[in-house]
Amino acid sequence: MTPEPTRLAYLDAMGLTAWVARYQFPNARETEVCDWPELEPQQPPETGARGLHALLDEVPAARSHEAAQDSSVAVAAASTAQTPSPEPSQPAAPVARKARALLGDMVPDDEATSATPALDSEEEGVEDAEPLRFVCQVACLDGRWLLLVAQQAPLGVEHQRLLFNILHSSGVTAEQRPVFETLTWPLAEGLPVRRPLEEARQGLKAFVAGRARRGWAPERVLVFGHEDALMQVLGEAGQAAGAEPPAASESGHSSTLALPQWSGPGLDELLSSATAKRRLWVSSADWQTLWQQGREA
């Protein structure tokens, strides 16, 4: 059983307040009297997980010191009887392992334990990072081709008509009309951010994976419009603002979604620019072949 001073130390390291009755209740058993030396620490102990990790690191050292003292006493007592001295027992750490399991840190070896403060300091250094921000309209064409439109406002009637005409003229004939929904990142303001790019990529993957119950199984990604943050999240090397979209033979790849990716001009640009339309017809020349190959597979 864990001694009372050790239990109180664990509670204090975890930031939990231990309450002790000041008066004895009627017919209650009398509290055991013990003499605890009151030591004044040079600096106040840290609270939370950091303090508990520090306490766990001190437990094996204290137990090894006690084991060494017990070993020396046993050697002195056994020297008169000419018996071999007992070897110092290995310090067991069941309490430390249980406490680390509560923290989600199952690392019984010393190497992993010594690496824990470095990991904490690394995460603490980027605790107040600024999140990546992007807004896009998302749909999945027959559950096969993921459509991303880099614009904040939902698609209007004119935008949808233009997009469907582009797909139909390129030989991409969908059985169902796709329904667009808005994806905004971050999902909520005020949340702590440590790794902005990695967290945004995980959020995009979780968004797509969560739509699998609706029949989403993307084979390819089509991106209309350019937004630097969105391109970083997709994992494609960002293009300079105003640069021409890649041709069909130079289509990219989304490392986040592990899918082939095509990037082209936005719908607003296509509505107002004949040059953008001509570039689009050239880059979408192989869409019909890709669509039929995926359907046959």
Side-chain angles (χ1 to χ4, degrees):
M1 186 176 65
T2 305
E4 186 65 14
T6 304
R7 188 183 71 86
L8 294 176
Y10 274 111
L11 293 177
D12 181 69
M14 290 186 291
L16 301 178
T17 304
W19 297 92
V20 181
R22 179 178 299 180
Y23 304 102
Q24 182 178 356
F25 290 100
N27 302 325
R29 188 178 65 178
E30 189 172 342
T31 306
E32 297 180 2
V33 179
C34 56
D35 186 13
W36 293 348
E38 297 182 0
L39 301 178
E40 296 182 0
Q42 297 180 356
Q43 56 183 1
E46 301 183 24
T47 60
R50 239 178 244 281
L52 184 55
H53 275 296
L55 181 62
L56 294 174
D57 295 336
E58 294 175 0
V59 170
R63 290 187 176 179
S64 60
H65 179 68
E66 294 177 0
Q69 290 183 347
D70 296 342
S71 175
S72 61
V73 173
V75 169
S79 60
T80 56
Q82 296 182 355
T83 58
S85 60
E87 297 181 358
S89 60
Q90 295 293 335
V95 178
R97 291 186 181 182
K98 291 180 181 179
R100 291 187 189 279
L102 291 175
L103 293 176
D105 186 14
M106 287 298 295
V107 282
D109 53 331
D110 296 338
E111 181 179 356
T113 302
S114 60
T116 300
L119 179 61
D120 292 343
S121 61
E122 179 182 355
E123 293 181 354
E124 183 182 2
V126 291
E127 178 70 25
D128 297 331
E130 185 69 20
L132 285 178
R133 301 181 182 276
F134 66 89
V135 180
C136 64
Q137 309 301 318
V138 188
C140 200
L141 198 63
D142 280 359
R144 295 175 48 200
W145 283 21
L146 189 65
L147 306 179
L148 300 178
V149 181
Q151 68 178 43
Q152 295 187 1
L155 270 64
V157 177
E158 192 174 7
H159 289 149
Q160 294 188 27
R161 184 185 302 112
L162 172 64
L163 179 58
F164 299 147
N165 290 338
I166 291 173
L167 294 173
H168 184 73
S169 61
S170 301
V172 181
T173 55
E175 297 178 358
Q176 299 179 355
R177 194 179 186 91
V179 178
F180 282 86
E181 50 187 313
T182 304
L183 172 60
T184 303
W185 190 266
L187 299 178
E189 296 292 342
L191 298 178
V193 178
R194 296 179 177 178
R195 295 177 294 274
L197 181 58
E198 181 64 24
E199 293 177 7
R201 287 177 174 175
Q202 292 295 333
L204 177 61
K205 292 170 63 176
F207 178 86
V208 176
R211 270 62 184 175
R213 66 185 64 181
R214 303 182 186 176
W216 286 25
E219 306 168 359
R220 186 171 299 272
V221 183
L222 303 183
V223 183
F224 292 88
H226 180 88
E227 186 177 357
D228 291 336
L230 179 59
M231 291 303 178
Q232 293 179 21
V233 172
L234 287 171
E236 185 189 47
Q239 304 172 5
E244 293 187 0
S249 59
E250 301 172 351
S251 57
H253 184 84
S254 172
S255 59
T256 301
L257 300 176
L259 295 174
Q261 175 176 320
W262 174 91
S263 301
L267 298 181
D268 287 332
E269 183 180 357
L270 290 171
L271 285 173
S272 59
S273 173
T275 303
K277 289 187 178 71
R278 285 193 293 268
R279 293 201 310 261
L280 176 64
W281 303 138
V282 175
S283 63
S284 62
D286 61 344
W287 284 7
Q288 183 176 6
T289 303
L290 296 173
W291 181 261
Q292 294 298 333
Q293 289 177 352
R295 174 174 294 177
E296 294 173 358

